[in-house]
Amino acid sequence: MSDLLANLNPQQLAAVTLPPQHALILAGAGSGKTRVLTTRIAWLVSTGQVGAAGILAVTFTNKAAKEMLARLSAMLPINTRGLWIGTFHGLCNRLLRAHYREAGLPALFQILDSADQLSAIKRLLKNLNVDDEKYPPRELANFINAHKEQGIRAAQAEAYDDYTRRRVELYAEYDAQCQREGVVDFAELLLRSYELLKRNEPLRRHYQERFRHILVDEFQDTNRLQYAWLKLLAGHDGPAPQAGGACLFAVGDDDQSIYAFRGAEVGNMRDLEREFKVANVIRLEQNYRSHGNILDAANALIKNNRGRLGKTLWTDAGAGESIRVFDGFSDIDEARFVVDEVRELVGEGYARHQIALLYRANAQSRVLEHQLFTAGVPYRVYGGLRFFDRQEIKHALAYLRLIGNPDDDTAFSRVVNFPTRGIGSRSIEALQEAAHRANSSLYNAAASLSGKAGAAVGGFIRLIETLRAECANLPLPEVIDHLIEKSGLRQYYLAEKEGRERLENLDELINAATNFLQEESDTLANPADANPLASFLAHASLEAGEHQAGEGQAVQLMTVHAAKGLEFDVVFITGLEQGLFPHDNAAQERDGLEEERRLMYVAVTRARQRLYLSHAQTRMLHGQTRYCLPSSFLDELPVELLRQINRMPAYTAAEPVRSATAAYAAGQISANGLRIGQNVEHAKFGLGVIVAAEGRGADARVQVNFGASGMKWLALEFAKLTPVA
């Protein structure tokens, strides 16, 4: 027993050895909550307070459940495979398998994943002759799942207009179809399990008597239905707890509640404290991850949120280094700084996989990826795809490829029925056979089809021809923008639950084209000879073709949401600008700014040793330069913890360039009479003023503010800038 409790700090020890009672453990970032949970289970079993069969432990990921089981196997001399430890969905599946008859399910009921659910809804709409443009399948799936996660069946759903009333009817039809076919979706697993326990008192009493201790990880992420399910099992299914109910041991951190968009209710923590009459809230505040300056910044930030349960992180590891803050001229400048710092960090001995680049929105990864790719730095996008590998980007590029080459069968096959336009698999097979007989491309074989298939495919061919004509004289960024709009991609993703993020990625593709043309203009001796469309598609293929590097040798890229639960020696938090982080949408949502601040708190507390915060004065948005204000979160950090970084030397506006050699060596500019503050003219961008310079020799470049055309970094060897008096 002494070995089991060894090395626990006083607060951890108090939590692990609590007598049988309801408990709320406020576990700060890096405070050892997983250790407390597993040690609590081992202590309860080892002291004979409960048998292993009397434990129910709920986690939010399968990975966390496996880690907990592995730790318990090392702590306890018993077979832990029989323990009820798992995710909400996993435990509900286990319960329903054991009591399928009582739940009204077949013994071998199947579980629909999100793709299967979408297919089932499409089939339902087709069978009922419902217009899937008026009632998009994805939107209907989101509507159904949101109601189930609130514990609301179709019969209880409210409808304030005819459109919503019809969706409620389709919800009921969908449930009836699933029941006939003996299938359940993910949301149904929890709702069906809750309903089973709610209406079947003998079964409910059985499990209430069996599970004497219920332990919950990441309690701040529970939604309304999950909390109701836990209350049932804990014997709190009435207005007050019942005698002999289970002890509920909830571990969470209200400061790290960042999943409101998934239905998480941070208020569940206060409700638990009140409803279960928790007498003693234990705070785990000693942090074993980060240096003191990082924790002081996190504490200063999060104290601006109202209604917190309250805690202050601290460490005995020392203050550590100051937090570095970089103010870039542009998003490209910011990305170059980040990559340069990464290379220096690796040179200092930091492992690449211990360096994380975090961003608020997935679309931000594109400019970072491009700079890493250009610099030859291996990287991985954690929990997601590289920019050019994302579904929506591949769809847009397929349309772009067809504009350039209609005989591209791969691109044709990808988008001929995306967004859906009534071209089924049989029509595609007929087209493929016709192309094979004629030894032609699918595009050219389309004319041979007749009937309904011929009409549908013909409509797609006319769309491509129209797009080719309309895009013939447009600049590349406008071509992409036009394709996204006229192909139906924008409208399609508007109806998706996660569509906002995909639309941001599509907008970033326009930015990628804009930046690509600028780079082409700066590096090609004669840009007029280049084919911008072909060159951009080749560029996209080259970056997409570089497979993700192995975890052990790659810099980690991820959204802040994906970073939760992880930690790194070095963390860069990029894009700290108003409207981006905090996100514009926060202002439209109740308590939205507080959720964004919690997200920033999570990002800061991922860092162990060194933390970088960066923002840009200008950022490309939808192909246009947007001028940005620094994030308000930066103002909430104590200035004594921060160290401003400026890579550019300070020059006066009138300082002349002495000579080519001196200018290059100083990181200034060329010997053709140019200087910081010099007015210049560019053939493409017009009049501007030089605001910064860097590099030497063939790498010398200047940053010019061209007003309406935005900030541009230009290579002096190719830019052909003309001084203006």
Side-chain angles (χ1 to χ4, degrees):
M1 187 58 61
S2 59
D3 290 341
L4 192 63
L5 303 179
N7 301 319
L8 294 176
N9 67 39
Q11 290 72 34
Q12 291 173 334
L13 181 63
V16 166
T17 59
L18 267 177
Q21 60 182 258
H22 300 310
L24 178 59
I25 313 300
L26 285 182
S31 63
K33 69 177 179 63
T34 303
R35 183 182 185 190
V36 166
L37 269 169
T38 51
T39 308
R40 169 73 172 173
I41 295 172
W43 183 77
L44 288 169
V45 175
S46 298
T47 55
Q49 297 184 54
V50 66
I55 296 286
L56 176 73
V58 188
T59 68
F60 265 81
T61 66
N62 288 316
K63 179 182 177 182
K66 289 177 181 177
E67 180 183 353
M68 192 176 293
L69 281 168
R71 292 194 185 192
L72 285 169
S73 295
M75 291 178 173
L76 293 171
I78 61 171
N79 185 350
T80 59
R81 297 185 68 179
L83 287 170
W84 279 56
I85 296 178
T87 64
F88 279 102
H89 289 126
L91 293 171
C92 287
N93 175 58
R94 186 170 179 175
L95 183 68
L96 293 175
R97 295 288 175 192
H99 304 285
Y100 64 89
R101 289 191 185 90
E102 296 93 328
L105 291 169
L108 299 178
F109 69 85
Q110 298 299 306
I111 299 172
L112 301 177
D113 61 21
S114 55
D116 293 333
Q117 183 188 32
L118 189 61
S119 296
I121 290 174
K122 288 178 178 178
R123 183 157 41 84
L124 174 75
L125 296 178
K126 184 176 182 180
N127 291 340
L128 296 176
N129 293 317
V130 175
D131 184 357
D132 62 4
E133 292 189 2
K134 185 175 181 181
Y135 298 94
R138 278 180 175 78
E139 191 176 276
L140 184 56
N142 297 336
F143 176 83
I144 292 170
N145 292 338
H147 278 76
K148 288 188 177 185
E149 287 165 3
Q150 293 293 313
I152 302 171
R153 288 290 185 192
Q156 290 86 45
E158 296 180 345
Y160 300 102
D161 53 48
D162 290 340
Y163 182 74
T164 306
R165 190 173 297 108
R166 183 55 174 149
R167 289 201 295 179
V168 171
E169 292 170 355
L170 292 171
Y171 174 12
E173 293 281 1
Y174 166 77
D175 268 358
Q177 174 180 286
C178 289
Q179 187 64 34
R180 286 194 306 272
E181 297 175 1
V183 296
V184 297
D185 53 48
F186 280 124
E188 181 71 18
L189 282 171
L190 185 60
L191 181 52
R192 183 76 65 113
S193 175
Y194 171 79
E195 291 171 339
L196 171 63
L197 292 171
K198 184 73 174 175
R199 71 171 180 267
N200 192 321
E201 184 176 354
L203 189 65
R204 181 171 72 251
R205 294 289 176 230
H206 165 75
Y207 282 104
Q208 288 173 345
E209 291 171 4
R210 171 177 177 169
F211 297 126
R212 309 310 301 157
H213 290 268
I214 300 175
L215 301 95
V216 190
D217 193 10
E218 305 286 7
F219 189 77
Q220 77 280 351
D221 293 333
T222 53
N223 63 30
R224 185 176 300 174
L225 183 58
Q226 288 164 342
Y227 181 41
W229 185 82
L230 289 167
K231 288 200 292 184
L232 273 184
L233 284 171
H236 197 304
D237 49 320
Q242 298 177 4
C247 294
L248 184 58
F249 185 92
V251 181
D253 183 1
D254 56 330
D255 291 334
Q256 294 190 74
S257 180
I258 59 173
Y259 295 118
F261 67 96
R262 294 182 187 169
E265 294 274 357
V266 66
N268 285 348
M269 299 190 76
R270 283 206 174 276
D271 289 345
L272 181 142
E273 184 182 10
R274 183 185 70 256
E275 294 173 355
F276 284 81
K277 296 179 172 54
V278 176
N280 185 21
V281 176
I282 296 178
R283 290 167 170 79
L284 305 183
E285 297 174 302
Q286 183 174 0
N287 178 282
Y288 295 93
R289 175 188 299 159
S290 308
H291 285 154
N293 285 340
I294 294 170
L295 297 181
D296 289 346
N299 290 328
L301 178 81
I302 202 63
K303 75 178 182 182
N304 292 288
N305 274 6
R306 301 159 296 151
R308 298 172 57 230
L309 291 167
K311 65 184 179 313
T312 302
L313 298 177
W314 63 275
T315 182
D316 57 11
E321 302 178 22
S322 296
I323 298 168
R324 294 159 168 83
V325 181
F326 176 72
D327 178 4
F329 293 110
S330 67
D331 49 352
I332 297 175
D333 185 42
E334 176 193 36
R336 284 176 174 149
F337 163 75
V338 169
V339 173
D340 287 347
E341 286 293 306
V342 166
R343 295 172 77 176
E344 287 190 20
L345 288 163
V346 172
E348 292 174 22
Y350 284 94
R352 289 194 192 97
H353 71 279
Q354 285 297 340
I355 301 173
L357 315 186
L358 308 186
Y359 35 83
R360 174 64 180 83
N362 260 314
Q364 291 172 251
S365 78
R366 201 274 311 169
V367 66
L368 292 168
E369 288 186 58
H370 178 61
Q371 295 303 325
L372 288 164
F373 174 82
T374 302
V377 177
Y379 70 91
R380 282 182 70 86
V381 178
Y382 180 89
L385 297 171
R386 288 186 171 202
F387 181 79
F388 286 109
D389 287 332
R390 293 168 191 165
Q391 178 203 83
E392 60 277 15
I393 300 302
K394 283 183 169 291
H395 287 328
L397 291 176
Y399 278 105
L400 203 59
R401 285 161 57 184
L402 282 177
I403 295 299
N405 175 21
D407 294 329
D408 187 333
D409 282 355
T410 301
F412 185 98
S413 299
R414 184 175 190 91
V415 295
V416 65
N417 196 40
F418 193 93
T420 179
R421 46 180 60 91
I423 303 173
S425 57
R426 291 185 179 179
S427 297
I428 299 297
E429 289 173 6
L431 182 59
Q432 291 171 336
E433 290 173 3
H436 181 70
R437 287 194 303 269
N439 193 27
S440 71
S441 66
L442 296 174
Y443 194 92
N444 289 330
S448 65
L449 290 185
S450 59
K452 184 179 179 181
V457 176
F460 175 68
I461 298 297
R462 287 190 294 275
L463 170 65
I464 298 301
E465 293 294 342
T466 300
L467 289 173
R468 181 182 292 110
E470 292 174 344
C471 295
N473 298 312
L474 294 177
L476 181 60
E478 293 182 31
V479 169
I480 297 174
D481 190 16
H482 191 71
L483 286 175
I484 292 169
E485 191 67 41
K486 297 300 182 181
S487 66
L489 287 176
R490 187 174 300 281
Q491 189 63 36
Y492 175 84
Y493 288 121
L494 276 172
E496 263 201 337
K497 184 176 182 180
E498 305 296 335
R500 183 183 71 191
E501 187 174 286
R502 294 190 186 277
L503 288 172
E504 288 175 352
N505 285 333
L506 289 173
D507 285 342
E508 185 59 31
L509 184 64
I510 301 171
N511 299 341
T514 303
N515 291 333
F516 174 78
L517 288 182
Q518 180 183 332
E519 291 179 2
E520 287 285 277
S521 172
D522 296 345
T523 57
L524 293 177
N526 188 1
D529 293 339
N531 181 325
L533 175 57
S535 298
F536 180 69
L537 288 172
H539 159 78
S541 296
L542 286 171
E543 290 208 13
E546 290 290 318
H547 297 298
Q548 300 231 41
E551 285 189 41
Q553 58 183 350
V555 174
Q556 307 292 304
L557 275 69
M558 66 193 75
T559 64
V560 181
H561 280 102
K564 187 171 179 291
L566 304 176
E567 57 186 72
F568 304 91
D569 289 342
V570 182
V571 169
F572 291 80
I573 307 175
T574 63
L576 281 168
E577 297 135 31
Q578 285 298 104
L580 188 55
F581 199 3
H583 201 279
D584 271 331
N585 293 329
Q588 313 300 324
E589 300 167 358
R590 179 174 172 269
D591 297 329
L593 183 60
E594 294 209 348
E595 175 110 350
E596 289 289 299
R597 189 176 285 110
R598 291 195 293 268
L599 194 58
M600 179 66 177
Y601 176 84
V602 167
V604 169
T605 54
R606 299 310 95 195
R608 284 195 285 255
Q609 299 173 18
R610 191 179 292 188
L611 176 63
Y612 291 82
L613 310 176
S614 65
H615 58 101
Q617 297 172 18
T618 64
R619 188 171 294 274
M620 196 73 74
L621 182 68
H622 203 71
Q624 300 294 320
T625 298
R626 181 179 75 174
Y627 290 86
C628 309
L629 294 174
S631 170
S632 57
F633 295 152
L634 292 170
D635 294 331
E636 297 176 5
L637 303 178
V639 293
E640 63 270 17
L641 302 177
L642 309 180
R643 177 181 138 204
Q644 297 290 333
I645 297 177
N646 186 352
R647 290 197 302 167
M648 307 302 300
Y651 300 113
T652 63
E655 183 178 358
V657 175
R658 296 177 296 280
S659 69
T661 303
Y664 294 156
Q668 223 169 347
I669 32 184
S670 69
N672 61 353
L674 300 179
R675 64 183 186 278
I676 303 295
Q678 172 73 56
N679 292 319
V680 293
E681 185 172 11
H682 186 273
K684 179 178 179 181
F685 304 121
L687 294 174
V689 59
I690 297 175
V691 297
E694 68 178 16
R696 66 178 70 184
D699 295 326
R701 63 192 190 117
V702 292
Q703 188 179 47
V704 184
N705 185 347
F706 286 106
S709 296
M711 292 279 196
K712 310 288 183 183
W713 275 105
L714 301 175
L716 284 176
E717 189 174 355
F718 305 111
K720 307 295 188 286
L721 290 174
T722 304
V724 177

